[in-house]
Amino acid sequence: MRADHNRRKWAKHPEWYTHELGHMFVPTNECPENVKKAMDKYNSYTYPEEYKKSKMKKHD
């Protein structure tokens, strides 16, 4: 349920993210900061492997 609650914060605003089926949600430039945090949490629960890889790329 935790992940679904976070997704509800942005699900009705397709201008705030890009998404390919089976992959993480990626915030756009128009996305508010609090929604980016919720999206980040949702991605960590729903796509743990892809999420870990994306975080490793950011720190390299």
Side-chain angles (χ1 to χ4, degrees):
M1 275 311 232
R2 187 171 53 189
D4 292 338
H5 173 73
N6 282 321
R7 185 168 182 215
R8 277 188 243 132
K9 291 181 181 180
W10 77 85
K12 294 180 182 177
H13 299 279
E15 69 277 6
W16 288 351
Y17 63 88
T18 58
H19 177 70
E20 289 182 34
L21 192 60
H23 294 282
M24 292 192 328
F25 288 85
V26 180
T28 61
N29 292 337
E30 297 96 35
C31 187
E33 198 60 40
N34 64 333
V35 175
K36 286 181 184 180
K37 289 178 183 177
M39 201 176 294
D40 200 43
K41 284 183 182 179
Y42 180 82
N43 285 333
S44 70
Y45 306 143
T46 312
Y47 307 104
E49 293 301 317
E50 190 175 348
Y51 179 79
K52 286 178 190 175
K53 288 178 186 177
S54 72
K55 290 297 176 187
M56 293 300 286
K57 286 180 185 177
K58 287 182 181 179
H59 294 292
D60 284 348

